[in-house]
Amino acid sequence: MTPQQLVGIAIRMFSITMVLFSIPYLSGMPHVLRSNGMDDKALVSLMIGVTYLAVALVSWFFPMVISHKLVPKTTFENRFNTRPDEVATVGIAMLGLWKVIDAAPDLVSYLFQTSLRAGSGSIFEALGAEGKADVFFILIELIIALAFLFKAHLIAKFITRPFENHAT
């Protein structure tokens, strides 16, 4: 198995997770919101669910395209009899995917719930100081996760530099 194939499998797992995250936004939540006279919020809930499904479909049908963008190309014969930076690149990319799975739905859910409480007012004002801090830290987590995804090879080179200098 090549490093890209390993990340491709992780991307497929990411896809399944996105489908699972879409379920409440497409099923129970819109019904509850409509029954409380919040038709506009029910539409937002449906749009969130559809967005999760769209991400799931793209990542399910194009895992290797995404994988080749995240992990630099190696020879196909390379089957994890590989350099430390390649293994580290795969690990960092997978860590980035996991953190996106962890933080992005939290941010979406948090902002959606805040929009429900805000009514016709500003979401930003409805957050309050604690809410703004929560959103700030979730955004920091997402930025780090995206850096892990899109700069995995650079980070891996940095992490494995000591190992390259002490190779036997």
Side-chain angles (χ1 to χ4, degrees), residues 15-148:
S15 176
I16 293 167
T17 305
M18 290 292 100
V19 169
L20 295 175
F21 284 142
S22 75
I23 293 170
Y25 289 100
L26 295 173
S27 60
M29 212 177 297
H31 174 69
V32 170
L33 293 169
R34 281 193 190 107
S35 67
N36 288 313
M38 301 173 137
D39 291 343
D40 56 332
K41 302 299 183 183
L43 180 61
V44 172
S45 174
L46 290 171
M47 289 175 19
I48 291 169
V50 168
T51 300
Y52 280 147
L53 284 180
V55 169
L57 288 171
V58 168
S59 59
W60 183 263
F61 288 111
F62 303 105
M64 294 310 294
V65 171
I66 297 166
S67 178
H68 283 288
K69 297 286 184 193
L70 298 176
V71 180
K73 191 147 180 103
T74 59
T75 60
F76 189 71
E77 299 83 32
N78 190 354
R79 301 205 180 266
F80 269 114
N81 183 11
T82 158
R83 301 183 328 253
D85 67 301
E86 289 177 334
V87 175
T89 300
V90 170
I92 291 165
M94 290 175 73
L95 180 61
L97 282 171
W98 171 77
K99 198 58 198 167
V100 168
I101 289 170
D102 181 51
D106 287 347
L107 180 64
V108 171
S109 176
Y110 197 90
L111 292 176
F112 182 63
Q113 290 176 32
T114 302
S115 74
L116 293 176
R117 286 191 304 270
S120 62
S122 167
I123 293 175
F124 191 71
E125 289 175 11
L127 280 172
E130 185 178 317
K132 289 173 187 167
D134 288 342
V135 169
F136 175 77
F137 287 114
I138 293 171
L139 285 172
I140 294 297
E141 287 182 76
L142 276 174
I143 290 168
I144 292 169
L146 292 173
F148 280 5

